Amino acid sequence: MAQVIIETEKSEVARILKKLGVKTQNPAYSTGQVWGGKSEGGDLKSIFSPADGSLLATVRFANAKCYEKVIKSASQAFLQWRQMPAPKRGEVVRQIGERLREYKEPLGKLVTLEMGKIYQEGLGEVQEMIDICDFAVGLSRQLYGLTMHSERSMHRMYEQWHPIGIVGIISAFNFPVAVWAWNAMLAAVCGDVCVWKPSEKTPLTAIACQHIIATVLRENKLPEGIFSLIIGDARVGELLSQDERVPLVSATGSVRMGKKVAATVAGRLGRSLLELGGNNAVIISENANIEMAVRATVFGAAGTCGQRCTTTRRLIIHESHYETIKERLIKIYKTLPIGHPLNSKTLIGPLIDKDAVNMFTNALAQAKAEGGKLICGGQVLEGKDYESGTYVKPAIVEAENHYSIVQDETFAPILYLIKYKGDIKNAIAMQNDVRQGLSSSVFTNQMQEAELFLSAEGSDCGIANVNIGTSGAEIGGAFGGEKETGGGRESGSDSWKAYMRRQTNTINYGNELPLAQGIKFDV
């Protein structure tokens, strides 16, 4: 469900939506059911581009009445979808992947305009959706159970997996479509239906994806409720969390939001899959390849303007390399091209909005108050090329790991340089000494250090890398983290099990009725 109002057909967003095949009714571009007015929908919200501050569109938000329509539609669609064999469901997902390939460029551009990441990253996000479709297609023939021997003669035991029903997906602005696809495509081949609440800051890319998928469903004569979209604020997320008809809620966002979702869902004994904050560190050992470490750090810390959950936020450097790496980073940071994300020369685009800019400046002020030293960047950029007020110079701060601001995640491009001495175990202890546990990395050419980092004594994060940075996960490996990151796993490995329910079956094909554990109960 969505209604989008475009002010002019000559706008870039209007042209992109046309390329994506969204039918137009001037001045409204619509997909799915359109709410006729405030009695059927919520308030109108204007969506501005962080790239230049321009009005992209006006979107009508959902209210509780709209939510109920979506849930009923999804519930009805589940009854049909769960009966389709998993490989057939995989075929539908394959077609979705092919359609996304067809529309990769305009959809990537829409991600860039709405979220602000550079165009190459916008294309990369669409590629992630394509990749997870490919992964899910293969998975549709690999939803394996387990057969085991029974202690009772002429009995067979096995486990099988069944779909659970409606999966609620709450996604964040920084990856407006990819993380939804991680969940939705796996859930789909598992036989579930999805209700997606995207970030209220980035609804247009969600609407575009929903239109593409709805077209594929119609071509296959399937109900559109298999993939549902509901645009709204935090109140819609609360409805999903509270709804007993939604057995699983997958939520990506802040730790604060995740704790609320977890408590609410647990209160009704539902399941939650959480991907929350990261406070990711790169350790640079005395045995590191310095050039590789510096290159990985720059992308990890400044890429996407520091707005990835896997962004490198702490750089823990052996004292023997500290000054060299500091000077190399300062030199590179001073030359980073900052500007409009559609400019092919730009590497650093804007923050999502002025609230994010305020978080950036407040964090730097707190770091200074605690004893940190700003050694590069930190300015809010002004001028005709930065009229949106959301452009900043990525900052480098010399700090100590125990500072309270270092212990928190600031969703902005701030890199804290931290010096360590002696054994790499000291660096690992620093890395682990935060509440979050998403991604981690060590740069070393010594096998013993690498293996220690990956051992039970090493990184306590869900992702641990050697000689690559913290940012940039591939489809196939389970993505997620520990501690306040939430413990969820998405995107690969056996993460499909989160979207299904396990059932143990025992079959007696004999004529006797023996009890387990040799219990005698003859009547």
Side-chain angles (χ1 to χ4, degrees), residues 395-439:
I396 301 175
V397 178
E398 291 186 290
E400 298 291 338
N401 200 59
H402 66 267
Y403 292 173
S404 61
I405 190 62
V406 177
Q407 291 283 311
D408 289 334
E409 178 190 43
T410 302
F411 220 58
I414 302 174
L415 177 64
Y416 297 108
L417 302 191
I418 302 166
K419 185 187 298 183
Y420 85 92
K421 300 179 180 181
D423 193 275
I424 198 170
K425 289 183 179 179
N426 298 329
I428 293 172
M430 286 183 188
Q431 181 212 271
N432 292 345
D433 191 24
V434 292
R435 295 184 300 275
Q436 309 84 359
L438 179 53
S439 187

Side-chain angles (χ1 to χ4, degrees), residues 24-41:
T24 67
Q25 291 178 331
N26 192 23
Y29 290 74
S30 309
T31 181
Q33 290 180 278
V34 179
W35 306 319
K38 288 189 176 181
S39 62
E40 295 183 24

Side-chain angles (χ1 to χ4, degrees), residues 432-473:
N432 292 345
D433 191 24
V434 292
R435 295 184 300 275
Q436 309 84 359
L438 179 53
S439 187
S440 59
S441 171
V442 66
F443 278 83
T444 179
N445 287 330
Q446 188 186 77
M447 184 186 70
Q448 288 177 314
E449 289 183 332
E451 291 294 338
L452 177 65
F453 182 75
L454 300 176
S455 74
E457 300 177 60
S459 170
D460 64 0
C461 296
I463 299 169
N465 297 328
V466 176
N467 293 331
I468 61 171
T470 60
S471 194

Side-chain angles (χ1 to χ4, degrees), residues 318-335:
H318 190 268
E319 61 178 344
S320 63
H321 295 310
Y322 186 85
E323 292 300 327
T324 299
I325 290 172
K326 181 175 77 172
E327 294 306 316
R328 289 277 290 116
L329 287 173
I330 290 173
K331 183 177 180 180
I332 293 171
Y333 266 53
K334 286 181 176 179
T335 62

Side-chain angles (χ1 to χ4, degrees), residues 171-465:
S171 62
F173 76 86
N174 60 327
F175 280 85
V177 288
V179 175
W180 158 75
W182 291 1
N183 286 274
M185 298 309 144
L186 295 194
V189 297
C190 289
D192 300 322
V193 297
C194 299
V195 175
W196 178 19
K197 182 223 165 293
S199 168
E200 61 191 272
K201 297 179 181 181
T202 53
L204 299 178
T205 45
I207 291 166
C209 286
Q210 180 69 15
H211 174 80
I212 291 168
I213 287 177
T215 302
V216 173
L217 292 174
R218 285 194 296 270
E219 290 170 356
N220 285 272
K221 297 181 172 55
L222 290 168
E224 292 184 29
I226 293 169
F227 294 93
S228 299
L229 173 70
I230 184 162
I231 306 293
D233 56 21
R235 288 171 290 185
V236 173
E238 290 170 1
L239 289 172
L240 278 171
S241 300
Q242 296 164 0
D243 199 332
E244 293 184 354
R245 295 167 295 181
V246 183
L248 171 66
V249 177
S250 177
T252 302
S254 68
V255 173
R256 180 184 56 81
M257 179 275 286
K259 286 182 176 180
K260 288 185 65 176
V261 170
T264 303
V265 175
R268 59 177 175 85
L269 298 181
R271 300 190 212 170
S272 57
L273 196 166
L274 303 175
E275 298 289 355
L276 310 176
N279 195 349
N280 316 295
V282 170
I283 296 172
I284 301 182
S285 154
E286 60 183 318
N287 300 298
N289 181 317
I290 300 304
E291 287 305 308
M292 285 179 60
V294 168
R295 287 174 58 196
T297 297
V298 173
F299 172 71
T304 326
C305 204
Q307 297 172 112
R308 288 178 175 235
C309 51
T310 54
T311 289
T312 303
R313 310 212 178 271
R314 296 175 294 141
L315 193 61
I316 303 171
I317 311 166
H318 190 268
E319 61 178 344
S320 63
H321 295 310
Y322 186 85
E323 292 300 327
T324 299
I325 290 172
K326 181 175 77 172
E327 294 306 316
R328 289 277 290 116
L329 287 173
I330 290 173
K331 183 177 180 180
I332 293 171
Y333 266 53
K334 286 181 176 179
T335 62
L336 286 174
I338 304 170
H340 196 289
L342 285 179
N343 185 326
S344 61
K345 295 181 180 179
T346 296
L347 291 181
I348 310 298
L351 287 167
I352 184 66
D353 55 26
K354 291 184 179 179
D355 288 340
V357 174
N358 291 335
M359 285 194 298
F360 174 75
T361 56
N362 291 341
L364 291 175
Q366 185 176 340
K368 290 179 185 178
E370 292 190 57
K373 181 181 179 183
L374 177 65
I375 59 174
C376 184
Q379 299 84 15
V380 179
L381 298 176
E382 299 177 345
K384 66 176 184 178
D385 294 329
Y386 311 112
E387 289 179 343
S388 64
T390 55
Y391 289 87
V392 300
K393 283 192 174 183
I396 301 175
V397 178
E398 291 186 290
E400 298 291 338
N401 200 59
H402 66 267
Y403 292 173
S404 61
I405 190 62
V406 177
Q407 291 283 311
D408 289 334
E409 178 190 43
T410 302
F411 220 58
I414 302 174
L415 177 64
Y416 297 108
L417 302 191
I418 302 166
K419 185 187 298 183
Y420 85 92
K421 300 179 180 181
D423 193 275
I424 198 170
K425 289 183 179 179
N426 298 329
I428 293 172
M430 286 183 188
Q431 181 212 271
N432 292 345
D433 191 24
V434 292
R435 295 184 300 275
Q436 309 84 359
L438 179 53
S439 187
S440 59
S441 171
V442 66
F443 278 83
T444 179
N445 287 330
Q446 188 186 77
M447 184 186 70
Q448 288 177 314
E449 289 183 332
E451 291 294 338
L452 177 65
F453 182 75
L454 300 176
S455 74
E457 300 177 60
S459 170
D460 64 0
C461 296
I463 299 169
N465 297 328

